[in-house]
Amino acid sequence: DAAIAQGHGLFETVKAYRGRPYALPDHLARMSRGADALGFKAPALDEAAASIRRVLEANGLEDSPTCRIRLTLTGGVESPSLFYEASACPFHPERAKVITGPFVRNDRSLLAGFKTVSYGENAVATRLTKAAGADEALWSNTKDELCEGTWSNVFVRLEGRWITPPLSSGCLPGVTREKVLALAPEVGIAIGEVPIPMGSLSGIEAAFLTSSIREIQPVVSIDGRPLAESGNADMEKLKTVYTKLVASSL
């Protein structure tokens, strides 16, 4: 299989709420962009939605408050295969302890920004993160700029301003990241997409992580340095408006 031999494949992780997958078109659009690069063809929305219903029912999760769905597209250019999995959402604490370390994304990679199955680096980073007693690690890129978390996008507040790494940093174009950027102006929060030197991380006043499963997760500390609570009000506003968006979209 090309996925095993060459890491040739793509995946998406979707969160379902009582059997309804959230933002499925956004996830499939991202998979389609990656499929174009790898020579695959992503599933159509109707096909994916029907398959997700079947796998949720088969696992008795159609009425679960939340669950995790994984779509994996692999098998080679000539005979691609699509797999669907459904399981309980992995646990994420209310607030994350974050570390930095020898974690570097190649922002010049041909696969930068695609959600491929070539996640060996992520597996090693996860092990190191857990060994350090933390919940997530922050990655730089080859320019020594903040890129993303191992399994998340990251937003930080520096000098009173909320910012997040731009897509040019090599970070994944996260679905939740995009939703937060669109929602922020509705609650009076401006978020800039600008390069963030790793050397400036010591000045971070507040931060939060985003992903489909964790949604919006405040960061309580970076490398053991506690963050102030000054950004909590903004994060609560974002969490509230995001929850409303999810509810209105299901």
Side-chain angles (χ1 to χ4, degrees):
D1 186 280
I4 297 175
Q6 301 173 337
H8 201 239
L10 301 160
F11 77 98
E12 288 290 328
T13 302
V14 181
K15 191 170 185 177
Y17 301 79
R18 299 206 177 276
R20 295 177 177 269
Y22 175 61
L24 182 58
D26 302 86
H27 285 280
L28 292 178
R30 184 170 62 187
M31 177 173 271
S32 182
R33 293 192 295 271
D36 288 343
L38 293 180
F40 291 155
K41 182 178 179 181
L45 177 59
D46 290 348
E47 172 192 346
S51 295
I52 287 172
R53 283 195 297 271
R54 289 195 294 270
V55 77
L56 288 174
E57 291 171 1
N59 287 277
L61 293 170
E62 66 271 28
D63 295 320
S64 176
T66 62
C67 68
R68 170 185 173 274
I69 301 163
R70 174 169 166 141
L71 292 71
T72 307
L73 178 62
T74 184
V77 175
E78 298 300 326
S79 57
S81 299
L82 186 60
F83 303 91
Y84 293 85
E85 307 167 58
S87 62
C89 287
F91 171 74
H92 290 295
E94 183 177 348
R95 296 179 181 275
K97 296 177 181 178
V98 169
I99 61 170
T100 59
F103 314 114
V104 182
R105 292 279 188 233
N106 181 5
D107 49 289
R108 300 178 66 183
S109 168
L110 291 173
L111 298 179
F114 297 135
K115 206 170 177 70
T116 74
V117 298
S118 306
Y119 264 38
E121 285 187 321
N122 290 50
V124 174
T126 297
R127 178 176 59 81
L128 295 174
T129 300
K130 290 181 178 179
D135 306 299
E136 180 68 308
L138 299 183
W139 293 59
S140 67
N141 59 20
T142 61
K143 305 170 196 171
D144 202 31
E145 299 167 344
L146 180 61
C147 182
E148 61 186 350
T150 304
W151 304 100
S152 62
N153 289 111
V154 58
F155 293 74
V156 305
R157 198 174 77 168
L158 278 168
E159 299 179 353
R161 180 190 179 200
W162 285 106
I163 53 178
T164 192
L167 296 183
S168 59
S169 71
C171 69
L172 187 75
V175 170
T176 308
R177 173 189 182 275
E178 182 180 351
K179 303 294 186 188
V180 167
L181 286 172
L183 288 169
E186 295 183 15
V187 290
I189 299 172
I191 301 178
E193 295 180 77
V194 298
I196 305 169
M198 290 297 288
S200 68
L201 265 58
S202 61
I204 288 176
E205 302 151 1
F208 62 90
L209 308 173
T210 62
S211 72
S212 293
I213 301 301
R214 73 184 74 227
E215 299 181 357
I216 297 172
Q217 183 186 33
V219 173
V220 68
S221 65
I222 299 178
D223 290 331
R225 178 178 68 85
L227 299 187
E229 298 183 0
S230 54
N232 288 359
D234 285 344
M235 288 184 274
E236 288 302 318
K237 288 179 184 178
L238 290 171
K239 289 170 71 173
T240 297
V241 73
Y242 181 82
T243 299
K244 289 181 180 178
L245 174 65
V246 172
S248 67
S249 303
L250 299 176

